[in-house]
Amino acid sequence: MSMLIDYQNYQEHQVGGKAARLFQLQKMGYRVPDLCCLSAELFQKSITEKTFEKIRRLIGCIDYESAASLQETSRQLQDIVREALSETAILDDLPKLISKRFPGESLFAVRSSGMIEDGTEDSFAGQFASFLSLAEQEIPEAVVQCIVSQFQPNVLSYMRERAYQLEAMIFSVNVIIQVMVPGEYSGILFTANPQGLLNESVLVVGKGTGNLVVEDRVDTTSYYYQTTDQLYYYEQQAEGPLLEEAAVQELIMLGQELKKTMGQELDIEFTCSNQQFYLLQLRPITTFGKDFPIVLDNSNIVESYPGITLPLTFSFIKQAYFGVFRGLALRCVPDRRFVAAYENIFEEMLASVNGRVYYRLNNWYTLLSFLPMSRRIIPVWEEMLGITEEAPSQGLVAMPLHKRLRTYFQVVREAVKIPKGMAALNCSFIEIEELFQNRFHTKLTNQEIFVLYQEIKDQVLADWDITLLNDLYAFVYTGLLKRQLKKLNSENYEQQTNEFISGITDLESMKPVLALLHLAQKLVDSGQTEELFSIQTADQAETGLKNPQTSMFLAVKEYIQLYGDRSPEELKLETGTFRAKPLKLFQELQSYAANPEILEKLLGKLTESEATAVRLLAEKKTSQRQQKKLERLSSKAMLGIKNREISRLNRSRLYGMVRSLFTVMGHNLSDTGLLKQPEDIFYLTIEELEEVNREEAPKINFLERIEKRKREYQQFKQLPAYTRLIYAKQEFNKYPQTINSVRIDDGTDDLRGIPCSEGIITAEVLVIENPHEVSNSEGKILVTKMTDPGWVFLLAKAAGVIAEKGSLLSHTAIISRELKIPSVVGVKNAVSQLKTGDLVTLNGNTGEILVGGKENVSAN
């Protein structure tokens, strides 16, 4: 057999996974430093049976419990192998062969390629010896040391822990001899984060050769690239090298290409010389196991919980989601024992990672598979929630046929009752509000707070699951309407779908802003603006509302009772709403009162009514039968949307009740010294606060716990808000120190999304990162990652809106249609591509967005 194996003949030999992969890459044309391999078969044939027997006998006597004994046995084994290799003629001519095989090369690397190394189960990373920057004459000794390193104490222990039969592994180490490339910097690229985050590549680079990086002998820079959102952040040590964005992207794309080629996640060693990357080593990542991946997605829910969400809020919504989804299952599945088997699913509908809220999609798919025709419903649900990438599914819930048929009939029966059920829910919520108003006051004890909290929660959750069926009702009928218009060969069926479901009379989400405008107009007309503008501090606002002496304070207090919980980020308990921070309301009223012309214009726009669907039918050439079908679908879709907005406003009121209760508790705990300040309560969970009423309460160190969480959440704020996270086993938080975030430019200037509200407008952009910091949105095109129901006050003044997240039934879409301002959602990277002050033409008919003017904008 040939002594030196290369990429042309490697498939004829057993060369180990490491060498085989490098030869494969070399053969496929990837940039790999030239190499050859010495096969273990060569050495096995040269070793006598007597030597083999000595080795076997020593292996059988290893005492792994004694470090000294293990060390001594390891030394003896290495001596025997070294002596045996010295008696062979294999290595004598090696320098001459290397010189002939690699003419003109002066330095080489020598490393192992064991038959058990770099496998799918165990990597053996760093276990065997390897050598860099060797001259030809040094290669034989390095080869020997690579071979004998299989008997080092660390290797013997590693193999025992993984239940390898040591006797069968004797002389199973092949040796790679590779030309050294003098890299300016080197590193390791993991196509997936080895901690278990599958859609995050990790790149670690340092100056010099790769061994310096692996052994932590040089400062490094670590890049964390999120493949779903195509953005990365990096953490740089003092002298760690910074790569150009193009180099980062090239390496990441190379990794993804190799992952696809090899069919598995990879750990890739590379070096860079003269701005060219060379692949040095490739091994599978072995830490993930074979569990079904956990998929977290923030589609839709990011509208309700944008940015960082503190522990108190998350603990509350987790309890609420558990109750609602368990209630939905009990409503739809006529078998309580069957439902009880999925309690763990209902408990984990949501996840909090890095301080942000996500849907746990796997559990959503499981729950949706309870429903009839789930394979058809799920795509509609995905589209309406704005889920752009399907998550892997474990298939339908295993349910006997008779039970599934009973469930189908039950769901159909419940579906027919959705409108009546929503009407009943709205009535019952009025009773809950009355209960709260009659029992709430600021002197409640902690025990009384939890009694009232539990009572309200139980009453709300008793029937709130009907809202989920109503959401599905709205999704399905909107999807059917869209499909029907597409069947009619409509040129722009998406725009026409928007027109059919707009013009909803008495939309609940519009009432807070209309009431605010009417209040501002009333104060202007009655000459109370001087009193209004005299309110400049929080104390003035709160004092006047506690004991209102004038008609202005009475009117403002009445508004707060009705709509004081509506605010951007209103579903975060830590948010300062109009009720919690009434000065904000006075400031909003002052902004309208100071601009009577804008006030009049907005009132005129918001009180217009237009039967959009009827007008559209009159203009379209459709048969009477088609018209009736479109009318039926649109009326049902609009009813579902209207009820959805009612429940959303009621939901904000519920969160207002919970916020008020725990705000009082925050003051109670602050008064007793358990908290430094009342607002710190938002860093604790409801479960932790329940401990206060137990005997062990004095032992709880809330102060220390809160300070630790404050530090953690400050770290979370540095991290980008990822759209999707895919974990191999269990989700985990990340705690970065000082990071820098970069979004990769995808190479296109094309800005386009889902058109949600018709119209074409050219105006300046206002990029909004924090809605609470916006002082004036008048006449601007708002650009944001997402909106929530409380954005209605900002949208009312805007000329249009562009959002990265959203769908046809997202809040952005619904409110912009009612406000009659053009909107486009689902615009990838809008916040990073557009800047405040940019002149933009927004086409709400087609979803097209052009920077700089109206040129080439289609009106269709």
Side-chain angles (χ1 to χ4, degrees):
M1 64 180 289
S2 174
M3 185 170 169
L4 299 182
I5 301 167
D6 60 20
Y7 75 93
Q8 295 178 327
N9 64 350
Y10 80 94
Q11 290 173 312
E12 301 169 12
H13 306 277
Q14 291 186 336
V15 294
K18 186 186 299 182
R21 292 187 190 94
L22 288 174
F23 286 138
Q24 182 183 356
L25 293 175
Q26 199 176 22
K27 199 167 188 176
M28 293 169 66
Y30 287 96
R31 197 178 290 115
V32 177
D34 202 5
L35 72 149
C36 65
C37 181
L38 294 174
S39 172
E41 298 172 80
L42 282 172
F43 304 105
Q44 288 173 350
K45 292 178 179 179
S46 303
I47 304 301
T48 65
E49 181 58 35
K50 183 178 178 181
T51 299
F52 273 111
E53 185 55 37
K54 282 184 185 179
I55 294 172
R56 292 190 192 100
R57 189 168 60 252
L58 276 173
I59 287 174
C61 298
I62 294 176
D63 180 3
Y64 290 97
E65 303 304 319
S66 168
S69 176
L70 177 61
Q71 188 77 29
E72 175 59 24
T73 307
S74 168
R75 185 191 63 75
Q76 293 178 32
L77 285 167
Q78 292 181 61
D79 287 346
I80 291 171
V81 174
R82 184 180 292 277
E83 182 181 354
L85 290 175
S86 68
E87 295 173 357
T88 70
I90 295 174
L91 302 176
D92 293 345
D93 296 328
L94 189 55
K96 191 180 294 184
L97 289 172
I98 294 298
S99 179
K100 184 177 180 181
R101 173 65 181 77
F102 303 105
E105 303 294 343
S106 59
L107 293 177
F108 298 87
V110 175
R111 56 170 60 95
S112 63
S113 179
M115 300 306 297
I116 55 175
E117 190 178 2
D118 292 351
T120 57
E121 299 297 328
D122 300 302
S123 72
F124 281 80
Q127 299 296 317
F128 298 103
S130 62
F131 304 89
L132 303 179
S133 302
L134 300 178
E136 292 167 358
Q137 293 77 13
E138 298 174 290
I139 291 176
E141 174 59 22
V143 170
V144 171
Q145 290 193 51
C146 277
I147 294 171
V148 302
S149 68
Q150 69 180 301
F151 297 111
Q152 293 177 151
N154 59 297
V155 177
L156 294 172
S157 297
Y158 186 96
M159 294 175 72
R160 179 176 180 254
E161 287 170 6
R162 285 154 180 78
Y164 284 100
Q165 294 297 319
L166 299 186
E167 293 86 349
M169 302 302 169
I170 301 172
F171 290 105
S172 63
V173 176
N174 310 283
V175 180
I176 295 170
I177 302 169
Q178 189 170 31
V179 174
M180 275 292 297
V181 173
E184 291 89 34
Y185 64 85
S186 305
I188 303 171
L189 169 65
F190 298 94
T191 59
N193 188 319
Q195 285 182 275
L197 182 52
L198 299 180
N199 64 331
E200 179 179 77
S201 296
V202 180
L203 171 63
V204 183
V205 295
K207 295 175 183 177
T209 55
N211 66 308
L212 301 177
V213 175
V214 173
E215 296 167 13
D216 293 325
R217 290 162 56 191
V218 293
D219 287 337
T220 60
T221 303
S222 299
Y223 294 82
Y224 299 87
Y225 186 104
Q226 224 273 353
T227 56
T228 301
D229 294 300
Q230 292 188 314
L231 57 84
Y232 66 86
Y233 70 88
Y234 61 89
E235 294 186 272
Q236 181 186 21
Q237 294 177 351
E239 299 296 326
L242 281 180
L243 306 187
E244 296 290 335
E245 184 178 305
V248 174
Q249 189 166 17
E250 181 182 348
L251 279 167
I252 296 297
M253 294 306 108
L254 176 61
Q256 294 304 306
E257 183 182 314
L258 289 171
K259 168 186 167 180
K260 186 176 181 181
T261 299
M262 299 297 182
Q264 57 193 152
E265 302 290 357
L266 299 170
D267 167 349
I268 303 164
E269 290 187 24
F270 66 90
T271 193
C272 182
S273 179
N274 295 322
Q275 298 184 331
Q276 290 189 322
F277 294 110
Y278 293 83
L279 300 176
L280 304 179
Q281 192 165 313
L282 215 65
R283 65 168 68 92
I285 299 176
T286 60
T287 56
F288 296 150
K290 298 178 182 179
D291 295 339
F292 203 82
I294 296 170
V295 182
L296 308 183
D297 195 291
N298 73 357
S299 296
N300 183 259
I301 199 167
V302 74
E303 290 188 13
S304 300
Y305 305 99
I308 296 296
T309 299
L310 296 184
L312 184 64
T313 296
F314 183 72
S315 64
F316 172 60
I317 61 176
K318 191 173 181 183
Q319 287 185 6
Y321 269 69
F322 168 70
V324 169
F325 282 95
R326 183 174 179 275
L328 177 64
L330 290 171
R331 183 187 293 267
C332 296
V333 180
D335 187 333
R336 299 186 73 88
R337 284 185 301 176
F338 183 85
V339 171
Y342 289 89
E343 290 265 314
N344 62 321
I345 296 292
F346 309 133
E347 289 174 350
E348 302 294 337
M349 300 302 293
L350 301 177
S352 176
V353 174
N354 304 329
R356 295 173 172 90
V357 180
Y358 292 88
Y359 287 138
R360 196 184 297 270
L361 280 193
N362 311 66
N363 291 357
W364 281 79
Y365 286 120
T366 299
L367 183 62
L368 286 169
S369 71
F370 284 11
L371 302 177
M373 298 184 293
S374 59
R375 294 188 188 278
R376 293 189 177 184
I377 288 173
I378 286 174
V380 175
W381 171 80
E382 289 174 330
E383 181 181 4
M384 293 300 105
L385 261 66
I387 294 174
T388 56
E389 185 180 347
E390 184 180 359
S393 173
Q394 291 172 291
L396 295 175
V397 168
M399 187 184 292
L401 179 60
H402 71 280
K403 194 170 293 183
R404 187 167 289 280
L405 288 174
R406 287 179 60 202
T407 300
Y408 285 6
F409 287 126
Q410 181 73 10
V411 170
V412 171
R413 188 159 48 239
E414 291 295 331
V416 173
K417 299 188 294 185
I418 288 173
K420 288 184 178 180
M422 287 299 296
L425 177 66
N426 297 336
C427 291
S428 69
F429 193 82
I430 294 172
E431 296 176 2
I432 292 169
E433 283 190 295
E434 291 175 353
L435 166 69
F436 180 79
Q437 290 168 7
N438 290 334
R439 300 210 0 222
F440 175 76
H441 55 83
T442 58
K443 300 299 182 182
L444 289 172
T445 66
N446 295 333
Q447 187 172 8
E448 290 170 335
I449 286 169
F450 268 105
V451 169
L452 183 53
Y453 165 76
Q454 194 63 46
E455 193 170 340
I456 289 171
K457 189 181 76 167
D458 290 345
Q459 289 193 35
V460 169
L461 295 182
D463 296 306
W464 199 264
D465 61 281
I466 189 69
T467 63
L468 297 178
L469 286 180
N470 181 73
D471 284 353
L472 200 58
Y473 181 96
F475 293 168
V476 168
Y477 278 108
T478 302
L480 291 173
L481 174 63
K482 186 176 179 180
R483 185 176 299 176
Q484 183 63 23
L485 287 167
K486 189 175 181 180
K487 281 184 180 179
L488 294 174
N489 297 317
S490 298
E491 291 182 4
N492 196 337
Y493 62 89
E494 287 186 335
Q495 177 189 343
Q496 290 173 347
T497 303
N498 293 333
E499 292 173 341
F500 264 95
I501 59 178
S502 64
I504 301 174
T505 58
D506 204 27
L507 187 68
E508 202 72 13
S509 292
M510 298 301 298
K511 289 181 179 180
V513 71
L514 270 171
L516 183 69
L517 293 172
H518 283 302
L519 175 56
Q521 188 68 60
K522 177 182 176 181
L523 295 176
V524 171
D525 293 343
S526 62
Q528 298 180 74
T529 54
E530 184 176 346
E531 182 185 7
L532 172 63
F533 282 100
S534 70
I535 307 302
Q536 296 295 317
T537 67
D539 284 343
Q540 289 174 327
E542 291 167 10
T543 301
L545 290 170
K546 282 180 182 176
N547 187 21
Q549 299 295 317
T550 66
S551 60
M552 182 196 73
F553 279 112
L554 286 168
V556 171
K557 186 172 183 178
E558 182 180 351
Y559 179 88
I560 289 175
Q561 287 175 342
L562 288 172
Y563 304 116
D565 302 306
R566 176 117 293 182
S567 165
E569 303 187 4
E570 64 193 16
L571 299 187
K572 295 181 183 180
L573 300 180
E574 60 269 22
T575 295
T577 60
F578 288 157
R579 188 186 304 277
K581 306 285 184 183
L583 180 61
K584 289 184 177 181
L585 176 56
F586 283 99
Q587 291 170 338
E588 190 76 13
L589 288 167
Q590 289 166 5
S591 72
Y592 287 118
N595 297 279
E597 291 182 2
I598 294 174
L599 178 59
E600 184 179 352
K601 177 184 173 183
L602 287 172
L603 275 169
K605 181 170 69 171
L606 296 181
T607 52
E608 290 176 2
S609 62
E610 180 181 11
T612 311
V614 174
R615 173 180 59 78
L616 186 62
L617 285 170
E619 293 174 359
K620 280 186 64 66
K621 294 180 180 179
T622 56
S623 67
Q624 189 174 5
R625 180 182 176 187
Q626 289 171 334
Q627 288 185 20
K628 286 184 177 180
K629 186 170 185 178
L630 290 172
E631 282 181 327
R632 181 174 63 84
L633 293 175
S634 65
S635 65
K636 288 185 177 295
M638 290 168 77
L639 177 61
I641 294 168
K642 182 175 181 178
N643 280 331
R644 190 170 184 236
E645 293 304 302
I646 292 172
S647 66
R648 281 183 163 191
L649 187 54
N650 285 340
R651 182 182 60 177
S652 74
R653 289 169 173 151
L654 169 64
Y655 278 65
M657 297 177 205
V658 176
R659 182 182 294 110
S660 296
L661 286 171
F662 286 109
T663 297
V664 172
M665 190 172 185
H667 283 281
N668 293 347
L669 296 178
S670 178
D671 291 342
T672 58
L674 287 175
L675 301 181
K676 281 186 179 179
Q677 53 193 9
E679 294 78 9
D680 286 349
I681 195 170
F682 299 116
Y683 286 91
L684 299 170
T685 67
I686 290 175
E687 292 76 15
E688 288 169 335
L689 290 170
E690 285 176 330
E691 297 176 19
V692 171
N693 295 324
R694 299 177 185 148
E695 291 181 1
E696 65 269 24
K699 300 176 185 178
I700 303 171
N701 191 337
F702 280 157
L703 298 177
E704 185 178 315
R705 194 175 300 182
I706 288 167
E707 288 307 310
K708 180 175 182 290
R709 284 189 185 154
K710 283 184 176 181
R711 292 193 297 270
E712 291 173 349
Y713 277 75
Q714 280 300 120
Q715 290 175 291
F716 294 156
K717 285 179 181 179
Q718 297 185 76
L719 290 166
Y722 297 132
T723 299
R724 175 170 287 202
L725 297 167
I726 305 174
Y727 292 93
K729 297 177 182 177
Q730 185 61 44
E731 66 265 20
F732 54 85
N733 291 319
K734 302 179 82 174
Y735 301 96
Q737 299 305 313
T738 302
I739 70 171
N740 297 273
S741 295
V742 180
R743 183 179 290 280
I744 286 292
D745 185 355
D746 61 5
T748 176
D749 294 328
D750 184 31
L751 283 168
R752 185 180 295 273
I754 303 168
C756 290
S757 181
E758 64 178 324
I760 301 174
I761 186 71
T762 299
E764 283 190 3
V765 158
L766 176 62
V767 177
I768 299 178
E769 296 281 358
N770 184 347
H772 299 289
E773 296 175 354
V774 178
S775 58
N776 184 17
S777 60
E778 171 66 25
K780 304 291 179 60
I781 295 176
L782 309 187
V783 177
T784 181
K785 291 184 181 295
M786 79 297 291
T787 71
D788 63 38
W791 276 60
V792 65
F793 302 105
L794 292 173
L795 295 175
K797 302 176 187 178
V801 60
I802 299 169
E804 290 187 4
K805 307 291 290 186
S807 66
L808 204 59
L809 290 187
S810 65
H811 185 77
T812 307
I814 292 168
I815 296 302
S816 60
R817 284 194 291 266
E818 302 312 310
L819 291 171
K820 302 176 182 65
I821 61 172
S823 67
V824 178
V825 303
V827 182
K828 187 178 179 182
N829 302 342
V831 169
S832 61
Q833 293 195 55
L834 295 173
K835 299 179 181 64
T836 295
D838 284 349
L839 188 66
V840 164
T841 297
L842 169 63
N843 190 327
N845 304 336
T846 65
E848 184 181 15
I849 302 161
L850 290 182
V851 180
K854 299 181 180 180
E855 296 83 359
N856 303 319
V857 178
S858 170
N860 296 322

